[in-house]
Tab-separated table of all heavy atoms in Angstrom:
chain	number	residue	atom	x	y	z
A	4	VAL	N	-14.322	-16.604	-12.033
A	4	VAL	CA	-13.327	-15.602	-11.666
A	4	VAL	C	-13.773	-14.951	-10.360
A	4	VAL	O	-14.906	-14.504	-10.243
A	4	VAL	CB	-13.203	-14.526	-12.770
A	4	VAL	CG1	-12.266	-13.421	-12.341
A	4	VAL	CG2	-12.757	-15.144	-14.081
A	5	PRO	N	-12.880	-14.917	-9.351
A	5	PRO	CA	-13.282	-14.263	-8.106
A	5	PRO	C	-13.412	-12.767	-8.339
A	5	PRO	O	-12.665	-12.176	-9.119
A	5	PRO	CB	-12.124	-14.559	-7.152
A	5	PRO	CG	-10.949	-14.752	-8.033
A	5	PRO	CD	-11.501	-15.370	-9.302
A	6	VAL	N	-14.367	-12.187	-7.695
A	6	VAL	CA	-14.573	-10.749	-7.814
A	6	VAL	C	-13.764	-10.082	-6.719
A	6	VAL	O	-14.048	-10.250	-5.545
A	6	VAL	CB	-16.070	-10.389	-7.680
A	6	VAL	CG1	-16.251	-8.892	-7.723
A	6	VAL	CG2	-16.871	-11.078	-8.761
A	7	LEU	N	-12.710	-9.374	-7.135
A	7	LEU	CA	-11.911	-8.656	-6.168
A	7	LEU	C	-12.677	-7.417	-5.735
A	7	LEU	O	-13.346	-6.782	-6.541
A	7	LEU	CB	-10.560	-8.263	-6.761
A	7	LEU	CG	-9.670	-9.418	-7.221
A	7	LEU	CD1	-8.327	-8.884	-7.694
A	7	LEU	CD2	-9.477	-10.448	-6.132
A	8	VAL	N	-12.569	-7.082	-4.490
A	8	VAL	CA	-13.263	-5.923	-3.936
A	8	VAL	C	-12.249	-4.801	-3.812
A	8	VAL	O	-11.267	-4.928	-3.082
A	8	VAL	CB	-13.879	-6.246	-2.569
A	8	VAL	CG1	-14.527	-5.020	-1.974
A	8	VAL	CG2	-14.874	-7.391	-2.701
A	9	ILE	N	-12.484	-3.721	-4.539
A	9	ILE	CA	-11.581	-2.583	-4.525
A	9	ILE	C	-12.420	-1.332	-4.334
A	9	ILE	O	-13.367	-1.099	-5.074
A	9	ILE	CB	-10.781	-2.506	-5.839
A	9	ILE	CG1	-10.009	-3.809	-6.043
A	9	ILE	CG2	-9.844	-1.309	-5.832
A	9	ILE	CD1	-9.347	-3.951	-7.366
A	10	PRO	N	-12.075	-0.511	-3.333
A	10	PRO	CA	-12.842	0.719	-3.117
A	10	PRO	C	-12.887	1.575	-4.377
A	10	PRO	O	-11.931	1.609	-5.155
A	10	PRO	CB	-12.074	1.427	-2.000
A	10	PRO	CG	-11.362	0.331	-1.295
A	10	PRO	CD	-11.015	-0.682	-2.365
A	11	ALA	N	-13.996	2.251	-4.584
A	11	ALA	CA	-14.203	3.049	-5.785
A	11	ALA	C	-13.222	4.206	-5.865
A	11	ALA	O	-12.810	4.773	-4.866
A	11	ALA	CB	-15.625	3.594	-5.821
A	12	ILE	N	-12.860	4.526	-7.097
A	12	ILE	CA	-12.021	5.692	-7.351
A	12	ILE	C	-12.953	6.879	-7.468
A	12	ILE	O	-13.913	6.859	-8.216
A	12	ILE	CB	-11.258	5.550	-8.684
A	12	ILE	CG1	-10.370	4.317	-8.667
A	12	ILE	CG2	-10.453	6.804	-8.980
A	12	ILE	CD1	-9.761	4.004	-10.006
A	13	GLU	N	-12.670	7.917	-6.722
A	13	GLU	CA	-13.471	9.118	-6.858
A	13	GLU	C	-12.984	9.879	-8.080
A	13	GLU	O	-11.787	9.970	-8.328
A	13	GLU	CB	-13.347	9.986	-5.612
A	13	GLU	CG	-13.960	9.324	-4.411
A	13	GLU	CD	-14.022	10.250	-3.222
A	13	GLU	OE1	-13.864	11.466	-3.393
A	13	GLU	OE2	-14.235	9.736	-2.134
A	14	THR	N	-13.905	10.388	-8.852
A	14	THR	CA	-13.539	11.156	-10.023
A	14	THR	C	-12.887	12.446	-9.577
A	14	THR	O	-13.435	13.190	-8.775
A	14	THR	CB	-14.791	11.467	-10.879
A	14	THR	OG1	-15.421	10.223	-11.180
A	14	THR	CG2	-14.411	12.184	-12.149
A	15	LEU	N	-11.700	12.669	-10.074
A	15	LEU	CA	-10.946	13.852	-9.697
A	15	LEU	C	-10.928	14.851	-10.838
A	15	LEU	O	-10.663	14.489	-11.970
A	15	LEU	CB	-9.498	13.481	-9.358
A	15	LEU	CG	-9.280	12.610	-8.154
A	15	LEU	CD1	-7.807	12.238	-8.055
A	15	LEU	CD2	-9.709	13.337	-6.903
A	16	ASP	N	-11.211	16.096	-10.522
A	16	ASP	CA	-11.005	17.186	-11.462
A	16	ASP	C	-9.744	17.886	-10.984
A	16	ASP	O	-9.783	18.698	-10.065
A	16	ASP	CB	-12.207	18.141	-11.464
A	16	ASP	CG	-12.007	19.297	-12.435
A	16	ASP	OD1	-10.938	19.367	-13.075
A	16	ASP	OD2	-12.924	20.129	-12.534
Side-chain angles (χ1 to χ4, degrees):
V4 175
V6 177
L7 299 184
V8 177
I9 302 172
I12 300 171
E13 293 188 15
T14 305
L15 295 175
D16 180 359

